[in-house]
Amino acid sequence: DSEQGKKVSLIGSSIASEGNVHIGSLPVCDDDWDLVDANVTCRMLGFAGATRRTFGSEFGNVPENFLMSHVNCSGQEDSLLECPHQDGEDCGSCMAAGVVCEPEYQPELRGGSGIHNGNLFFGNQPVCDDNW
């Protein structure tokens, strides 16, 4: 299968966790693109999941040669390439599918006298102590 071994990437944003979805150098069409498809894409790129799916080439117009359209993931797939889909015909440059992925945040302690104490930050934001 010509799709195997092709890298999935997000194009068109300065933020690494969002962009139009490309496989190899070709975009994915937004026909039937939904949050399940976006979640599979984000997870395969190492993110926790998707906060939003985008359509209409939200991150900029793309070449008119698409790899796939009508993607129909079940949510169990490890890769977008495993999802049922059609070829990318009948899609225009303003029809790219995209994602906004949830960044993976790590808890961090700051301001303490050692590595085992301090103020708790999550995603570069302090955690409020209400009801702690």
Side-chain angles (χ1 to χ4, degrees):
D1 187 18
S2 64
E3 296 167 5
Q4 296 304 314
K6 294 195 177 183
K7 181 181 176 193
V8 175
S9 57
L10 304 180
I11 306 293
S13 175
S14 61
I15 300 170
S17 60
E18 64 183 37
N20 292 327
V21 179
H22 282 63
I23 299 175
S25 61
L26 299 177
V28 174
C29 186
D30 65 6
D31 289 345
D32 298 329
W33 186 250
D34 62 20
L35 194 56
V36 176
D37 306 327
N39 272 317
V40 170
T41 303
C42 290
R43 284 195 322 269
M44 74 175 296
L45 289 169
F47 298 103
T51 58
R52 188 165 66 89
R53 58 118 170 134
T54 68
F55 51 92
S57 295
E58 183 171 317
F59 296 100
N61 285 350
V62 297
E64 292 196 13
N65 189 15
F66 287 77
L67 183 67
M68 62 172 63
S69 66
H70 300 281
V71 178
N72 188 24
C73 300
S74 70
Q76 303 302 311
E77 297 88 354
D78 293 322
S79 168
L80 191 61
L81 298 170
E82 297 172 5
C83 300
H85 62 274
Q86 296 177 12
D87 62 26
E89 293 181 8
D90 300 322
C91 295
S93 65
C94 63
M95 296 178 69
V99 296
V100 176
C101 300
E102 295 178 47
E104 288 280 347
Y105 293 125
Q106 297 295 319
E108 178 183 5
L109 293 175
R110 295 186 191 168
S113 60
I115 62 171
H116 298 291
N117 59 37
N119 295 314
L120 180 61
F121 281 72
F122 190 77
N124 216 26
Q125 299 294 317
V127 175
C128 181
D129 66 358
D130 290 352
N131 300 316
W132 185 257

